[in-house]
Amino acid sequence: MQSFRFLRIPLFSPPNALFFVSQPPHLLPVKSISRISTKNFSSQMESSSSSSSSKLLFRQLFEKESSTYTYLLADVSHPDKPALLIDPVDRTVDRDLNLVRELGLKLVYAMNTHVHADHVTGTGLIKSKFPGAKSVISRASGSKADVLIGPGDRIPFGDLFLEVRATPGHTSGCVTYVTGDEPDQPHPRMAFTGDALLIRGCGRTDFQGGSSKQLYESVHSQIFTLPKDTLIYPAHDYKGFNVSTVGEEIVYNPRLTKDLEEFKKIMENLNLPYPKMMDLAVPANLVCGLQDPTS
């Protein structure tokens, strides 16, 4: 299996709206504002915003049966317009690939944040329809894929990249994909947290090598240490939310604002039902969804 690490590449600023390529101006530190003129400050803001929005194309897509979000990101300033999909679902592969074609993108990666238990990943079907696309999942997941990644790895698409952060606890192989932090990159950053951190919640920890203690430590050390304006994009939502921020979840998450011992008690007493798709989804997802497309 291929694995890799990447050099730092200048990145972009994420959009502030759900389905549009738009970006708020890059904000300079407060202490710096007094040392530049209003005219120069305005010019820097316009330049940053224009550069960011011309690079990033972003879409948040939804699969209603499993309440799963799939994310499409692309570098549209690159001649090839390379793109990647995060957490695709087999039921909506045709929808996702039609969008890729309509937008004139070249799909290079179909990625998973972890081995899902509530749906079958679409990566297998995507590879059969887009032979050039490669499947990606964490090495710690124990799954098969074209590219196995680990903490600190960088996944490039054009001149952009995602950073890999290990966030186990929901499963033993969960990762969070985060946009870069270079000084010349407009903010806020984006974090695709899978099931580790949900909006006002978190993933269960009672199967697939889950651990309440490990999840708590993962979120607090790998996600809550990001800038507070970092946008949180989870793999699921069941209440109609589509985005949060690190700052919001630090203050308002009803589980992860507790201390470790109280968090463990909460997780031990969730009494959630056995996932109805688990016996089908997990075996398929352990081979990154490379099931027989005719089955």
Side-chain angles (χ1 to χ4, degrees):
M1 295 296 178
Q2 178 185 0
S3 62
F4 47 68
R5 289 182 179 270
F6 300 103
L7 298 175
R8 287 183 171 267
I9 305 170
L11 193 58
F12 51 89
S13 175
N16 204 29
L18 182 57
F19 292 107
F20 298 93
V21 183
S22 61
Q23 173 58 40
H26 178 53
L27 300 181
L28 297 179
V30 173
K31 64 181 181 180
S32 301
I33 294 176
S34 62
R35 296 199 295 268
I36 61 177
S37 70
T38 302
K39 180 179 179 180
N40 289 339
F41 183 51
S42 176
S43 297
Q44 290 186 31
M45 290 169 64
E46 291 173 3
S47 174
S48 174
S49 177
S50 174
S51 174
S52 302
S53 63
S54 66
K55 282 189 174 184
L56 173 67
L57 182 144
F58 172 72
R59 297 290 188 273
Q60 183 181 41
L61 307 165
F62 189 66
E63 194 282 311
K64 63 181 181 180
E65 295 299 322
S66 60
S67 298
T68 299
Y69 283 124
T70 296
Y71 299 97
L72 172 66
L73 290 83
D75 179 359
V76 293
S77 70
H78 191 278
D80 294 332
K81 295 185 178 179
L84 56 82
L85 284 165
I86 299 174
D87 287 334
V89 180
D90 63 344
R91 295 188 186 99
T92 49
V93 161
D94 287 340
R95 175 203 66 186
D96 300 347
L97 295 184
N98 283 339
L99 180 59
V100 169
R101 293 188 188 98
E102 288 172 356
L103 297 174
L105 308 177
K106 178 183 178 181
L107 187 65
V108 291
Y109 295 119
M111 306 160 54
N112 283 294
T113 53
H114 64 291
V115 175
H116 297 273
D118 51 10
H119 68 268
V120 175
T121 178
T123 51
L125 294 175
I126 288 170
K127 282 166 57 65
S128 71
K129 296 172 184 287
F130 272 63
K134 294 183 178 181
S135 57
V136 179
I137 200 166
S138 75
R139 190 176 295 104
S141 71
S143 300
K144 295 181 179 179
D146 297 316
V147 179
L148 299 176
I149 46 90
D153 284 350
R154 305 245 170 139
I155 302 170
F157 53 110
D159 294 327
L160 312 179
F161 73 87
L162 293 176
E163 166 195 327
V164 179
R165 293 192 172 208
T167 49
H170 169 62
T171 73
S172 57
C174 288
V175 296
T176 292
Y177 299 115
V178 187
T179 57
D181 63 346
E182 278 70 10
D184 59 341
Q185 297 171 5
H187 288 1
R189 299 175 73 182
M190 305 165 80
F192 301 92
T193 57
D195 288 15
L197 177 63
L198 306 179
I199 298 172
R200 308 300 192 265
C202 63
R204 62 194 294 175
T205 58
D206 57 338
F207 60 80
Q208 289 182 274
S211 164
S212 298
K213 180 177 183 292
Q214 193 173 38
L215 178 60
Y216 186 91
E217 292 172 347
S218 292
V219 172
H220 279 266
S221 66
Q222 299 299 315
I223 301 176
F224 282 179
T225 53
L226 290 165
K228 288 185 172 60
D229 61 352
T230 302
L231 299 170
I232 298 296
Y233 289 106
H236 303 281
D237 188 82
Y238 310 98
K239 298 179 180 179
F241 296 108
N242 50 55
V243 64
S244 182
T245 66
V246 167
E248 283 184 40
E249 295 307 313
I250 288 174
V251 175
Y252 299 116
N253 192 292
R255 298 177 185 174
L256 290 155
T257 51
K258 312 299 183 185
D259 62 32
L260 175 58
E261 292 307 312
E262 188 170 355
F263 175 76
K264 288 165 63 176
K265 290 178 182 177
I266 291 172
M267 301 304 291
E268 289 168 3
N269 291 285
L270 291 179
N271 299 316
L272 296 172
Y274 189 81
K276 63 181 181 179
M277 284 285 293
M278 184 167 178
D279 293 338
L280 170 64
V282 171
N285 293 339
L286 283 170
V287 289
C288 248
L290 298 178
Q291 72 280 9
D292 180 357
T294 63
S295 299

